[in-house]
Amino acid sequence: MKLKGILSIAGQPGLFKIIAQTRSGFVVEGVSDKKRMPVASTQRISMLEDISVYTTDEDVLLAEVLKSIADAKGLKHEFDVKSDPAKLRSEFEKCFPSFDQERVYNSDIKKILTWFNLLKDTDAFDEAEADEAVEEVKEVKEVKTTSKKKTAAKKTTKADAGVKAVKKPSGAQLKNAGSKKSI
């Protein structure tokens, strides 16, 4: 499941892909209708890859929730998001049983199922591309880990060099030190 570059804009129906960045915001394209429009950076924008769902243990990324829905119902299934909220909640519970019943509201479930309906016809569920995206994330994490180790090594050598570089007293300081008498 890959959600990189897909976003939701408050006040706009549907989902969008980022096409280009402008001085004042973005140019986006609708996932379902392919219409392009400018979006100001002052609008409330939510990146789907950053959204997580409350569970009884810890939060789970939206991509994993959508994948579990696809595994449970299949990509051919269409949710009727205008049906009874109790029915939607029970269907969502069948697909993703570990969600937190108190903190996930009916409106959240409706929004997630609407997004599933929009994304199932796109390439977001393409397994080969999703595996490549996971590999990219792993590579980025490895690079960050090795760079942190290198930074820590550099800090250690600088600290060691600071200890070794002891300032030697000058000749005048030595004469003054010898002239002091103890009583």
Side-chain angles (χ1 to χ4, degrees):
M1 179 93 223
K2 66 171 190 162
L3 297 176
K4 187 172 181 118
I6 299 176
L7 51 96
S8 172
I9 303 170
Q12 297 288 332
L15 294 174
F16 303 91
K17 284 185 180 181
I18 296 176
I19 301 298
Q21 186 172 357
T22 63
R23 283 187 205 172
S24 61
F26 301 99
V27 175
V28 296
E29 180 180 70
V31 170
S32 57
D33 60 0
K34 304 293 185 202
K35 290 183 182 178
R36 292 185 179 188
M37 67 178 201
V39 176
S41 60
T42 57
Q43 288 180 288
R44 289 187 328 171
I45 298 171
S46 300
M47 300 295 292
L48 292 190
E49 64 186 332
D50 296 334
I51 296 175
S52 60
V53 177
Y54 295 117
T55 64
T56 53
D57 295 331
E58 58 185 35
D59 298 347
V60 175
L61 290 175
L62 180 65
E64 294 176 33
V65 174
L66 292 174
K67 184 164 177 23
S68 69
I69 293 171
D71 292 342
K73 295 288 186 176
L75 292 177
K76 302 285 184 199
H77 186 74
E78 181 84 22
F79 289 99
D80 182 21
V81 293
K82 294 186 179 185
S83 66
D84 182 39
K87 181 181 175 188
L88 288 177
R89 185 172 277 276
S90 67
E91 282 192 53
F92 187 72
E93 187 173 11
K94 289 175 187 174
C95 300
F96 191 68
S98 65
F99 80 98
D100 191 343
Q101 296 281 341
E102 294 176 4
R103 296 194 295 175
V104 178
Y105 300 114
N106 290 337
S107 60
D108 300 329
I109 293 171
K110 182 179 178 181
K111 192 179 298 185
I112 291 170
L113 296 179
T114 302
W115 289 344
F116 176 80
N117 287 342
L118 291 170
L119 290 172
K120 69 182 178 133
D121 297 328
T122 65
D123 62 344
F125 287 98
D126 188 16
E127 291 298 323
E129 292 181 17
D131 291 339
E132 290 176 15
V134 169
E135 290 299 321
E136 286 179 22
V137 169
K138 286 181 182 177
E139 289 176 11
V140 168
K141 286 183 180 178
E142 288 175 8
V143 169
K144 286 182 181 178
T145 305
T146 56
S147 66
K148 285 181 183 177
K149 289 178 183 176
K150 289 179 182 177
T151 306
K154 287 180 183 178
K155 287 180 182 177
T156 306
T157 53
K158 286 181 181 178
D160 292 342
V163 171
K164 292 178 184 176
V166 176
K167 188 175 180 181
K168 294 182 181 178
S170 65
Q173 289 173 337
L174 286 174
K175 288 181 184 177
N176 291 340
S179 64
K180 292 183 183 176
K181 298 181 182 176
S182 58
I183 300 177

